Amino acid sequence: VVGTDIDPESVALGRRVVAEMGVDGIEVELSGPHLKPRAATATHVIFSSTIPVKYRILHDLHPVLAADVTVVMRYGTDLKSLFNYPRVAVAEDRWRQVGMVARPGRLFDVALYRKAVTDDAA
């Protein structure tokens, strides 16, 4: 498991939380191009609902993510949008939405995406 963030303070906090948990196999890294090779082997990618550019990052990661990756995108609409960025349309030639999990009474909902199957990949 690799957690990543663009904020060094958040990375430091994440590392402290992992250390307190005493769980092996969880790393927290500062985001950057050095993580792209690791993204190629990811089976799941989870986006926080509080990242304004999460869909741009999803678009940018498309070429390096495995064909069978599952993307979990947290989002909020209506009243939940006070605490979260909303779900937006994705490029249908790159991604298809395969599920949604509404979480009544919770701060965010979840959309699930898989890579779109193209004629080249079929």
Side-chain angles (χ1 to χ4, degrees):
V1 174
V2 178
T4 182
D5 202 295
I6 61 170
D7 177 31
E9 189 174 326
S10 294
V11 169
L13 176 60
R15 287 176 177 163
R16 283 198 329 259
V17 168
V18 169
E20 286 290 323
M21 290 173 38
V23 177
D24 292 331
I26 299 176
E27 300 173 38
V28 182
E29 306 250 351
L30 193 61
S31 293
H34 67 286
L35 291 177
K36 282 196 175 184
R38 294 177 91 173
T41 61
T43 58
H44 293 76
V45 176
I46 304 169
F47 283 88
S48 170
S49 57
T50 58
I51 301 172
V53 295
K54 61 189 173 189
Y55 282 96
R56 182 181 56 83
I57 296 169
L58 177 65
H59 178 82
D60 291 348
L61 282 175
H62 185 272
V64 298
L65 292 174
D68 60 347
V69 69
T70 298
V71 174
V72 179
M73 186 72 71
R74 294 169 28 177
Y75 71 94
T77 55
D78 301 322
L79 186 59
K80 293 178 183 184
S81 68
L82 293 173
F83 307 100
N84 307 276
Y85 286 93
R87 181 174 53 91
V88 300
V90 294
E92 292 181 9
D93 62 327
R94 292 178 172 251
W95 298 101
R96 60 186 171 88
Q97 185 175 315
V98 296
M100 288 182 65
V101 180
R103 303 177 71 229
R106 302 291 178 103
L107 286 178
F108 61 85
D109 296 317
V110 177
L112 302 173
Y113 297 97
R114 299 291 306 246
K115 276 189 157 183
V117 177
T118 63
D119 290 338
D120 297 334

